[in-house]
Amino acid sequence: MAEQEETNPWGSKSWSYLSTLRQQSPLIQCITNLVSMDLMANTLLAAGASPAMIHSILEIPDFTPHTQSVLINVGTLTPEWLPAMKAAAGVANQFGKPWVLDPAAVGASGFRLKACLELIELKPTVIRGNGSEIISLSMASIGSGKGADSLHESSDALEAAKSLAKSSGAIVAISGSVDFVTDGQRVVGAHNGLPMMQKITASGCAVTALIAAFVAIDPTHAFEATASAFSVFGLAGEIGMGSAKGPASLRMHLIDSLYALDQETVLHRVKITSFS
Ligand SMILES: Nc1ncnc2c1ncn2[C@@H]1O[C@H](COP(=O)(O)OP(=O)(O)O)[C@@H](O)[C@H]1O
Ligand SMILES: Cc1ncsc1CCOP(=O)(O)O
Ligand SMILES: [Mg+2]
């Protein structure tokens, strides 16, 4: 697959998403796993969004209509949570709000796979997983990952992602050394980030939430919003690593760097290329 370098229109696009996010501070409802809640909420706050970890089915009719987007992550799924996830996706659809699915550890069990396939029937705007998760979803089969971690490179999942995008109508995003985004036809890769980010639990969950926030800014351009969110998060990691000693301090410095990202840095250091 040939890679085409672009002179960086993505830098200004990414800055536009981030600066608008800071101005508008959209409300993002997160129905997410128990591991990720803290990092996810702090990532969204540092980026400028307003997170709310509200997941009771009793609250969805009142609350979800007031959100700008919804994030659904199945990382610690139980049968009790699934109806709330489906209800929130349904309300988001009813009110014309985007919603984003993170199929965390989808290959772990038939229960989780079936739940994710049912959620995909409810038309997520974006699906973001690691390589193994996207392969599991696309093949509708379990066993391809290692719990929440990937056994695949993101590039291994590219054809699976295209196929999933075509069958679901969602933008499909694969995280990894290169973060790929596809609508089934177009493919771009975001190159920012560093391997140490895999050593922070819920970093994948956090970037999916950032995608939900960027998509809230411009729901009609979910492809561009997704690629931009990947790059901005990766760039915050790169800058944070300059002050970090390991995963724990990287977690802290990544959040600080996301909060402090300025226009010049985003314009010059975002690296997104087209693959065709
Ligand atoms: N090898 C790598 N090089 C650079 N960045 C990476 C690498 N692996 C993962 N990342 C980044 O780490 C974050 C989490 O991705 P990943 O570990 O693939 O998700 P998950 O936690 O869902 O498995 C993403 O922002 C991704 O870009
Ligand atoms: C460790 C773990 N177990 C179930 S969900 C979860 C968090 C995984 O988060 P991420 O996939 O973003 O690292
Ligand atoms: Mg991870």
Side-chain angles (χ1 to χ4, degrees):
M1 185 165 283
E3 184 184 348
Q4 296 160 2
E5 287 286 342
E6 291 177 355
T7 48
N8 204 359
W10 284 101
S12 48
K13 212 168 286 192
S14 298
W15 175 250
S16 168
Y17 281 111
L18 182 61
S19 54
T20 309
L21 188 70
R22 288 171 177 172
Q23 283 156 20
Q24 295 184 357
S25 194
L27 177 59
I28 315 298
Q29 181 179 5
C30 304
I31 305 183
T32 191
N33 69 71
L34 302 166
V35 184
S36 68
M37 286 184 181
D38 178 90
L39 180 62
M40 185 179 289
N42 277 303
T43 298
L44 288 171
L45 283 170
S50 182
M53 278 47 193
I54 287 177
H55 61 252
S56 169
I57 194 163
L58 299 179
E59 294 179 284
I60 284 163
D62 289 339
F63 183 71
T64 305
H66 301 290
T67 64
Q68 272 73 59
S69 76
V70 176
L71 172 283
I72 295 176
N73 177 311
V74 299
T76 51
L77 189 64
T78 67
E80 293 72 32
W81 280 48
L82 185 55
M85 292 174 175
K86 289 181 177 173
V91 173
N93 289 341
Q94 189 188 338
F95 284 82
K97 312 289 168 98
W99 75 274
V100 176
L101 176 66
D102 189 323
V106 61
S109 71
F111 162 65
R112 204 176 277 250
L113 175 63
K114 182 167 178 283
C116 285
L117 295 176
E118 288 169 4
L119 286 164
I120 289 171
E121 291 294 310
L122 299 174
K123 296 277 168 207
T125 314
V126 181
I127 303 167
R128 191 297 308 173
N130 62 38
S132 293
E133 289 160 351
I134 296 302
I135 289 169
S136 269
L137 273 185
S138 184
M139 293 171 57
S141 69
I142 63 171
S144 67
K146 187 181 178 188
D149 291 335
S150 186
L151 292 175
H152 295 87
E153 293 294 325
S154 50
S155 54
D156 297 338
L158 207 38
E159 290 311 313
K162 281 188 189 171
S163 157
L164 180 61
K166 283 181 193 150
S167 63
S168 67
I171 300 299
V172 177
I174 323 160
S175 58
S177 54
V178 177
D179 301 312
F180 292 103
V181 182
T182 183
D183 59 5
Q185 303 292 337
R186 295 176 290 169
V187 180
V188 295
H191 301 260
N192 297 99
L194 70 161
M196 180 78 80
M197 289 167 70
Q198 288 172 285
K199 296 292 184 191
I200 306 172
T201 192
S203 58
C205 307
V207 79
T208 312
L210 192 62
I211 289 168
F214 275 36
V215 170
I217 296 302
D218 186 3
T220 59
H221 292 93
F223 179 87
E224 290 80 0
T226 300
S228 298
F230 265 141
S231 247
V232 162
F233 189 74
L235 180 53
E238 288 171 19
I239 295 167
M241 197 62 216
S243 310
K245 293 185 181 145
S249 48
L250 176 58
R251 183 185 195 278
M252 178 179 80
H253 289 297
L254 186 158
I255 293 168
D256 284 354
S257 302
L258 182 56
Y259 177 76
L261 268 183
D262 60 30
Q263 181 172 12
E264 199 190 332
T265 308
V266 173
L267 290 183
H268 289 105
R269 290 187 57 180
V270 155
K271 189 172 179 212
I272 298 172
T273 59
S274 294
F275 288 75
S276 56

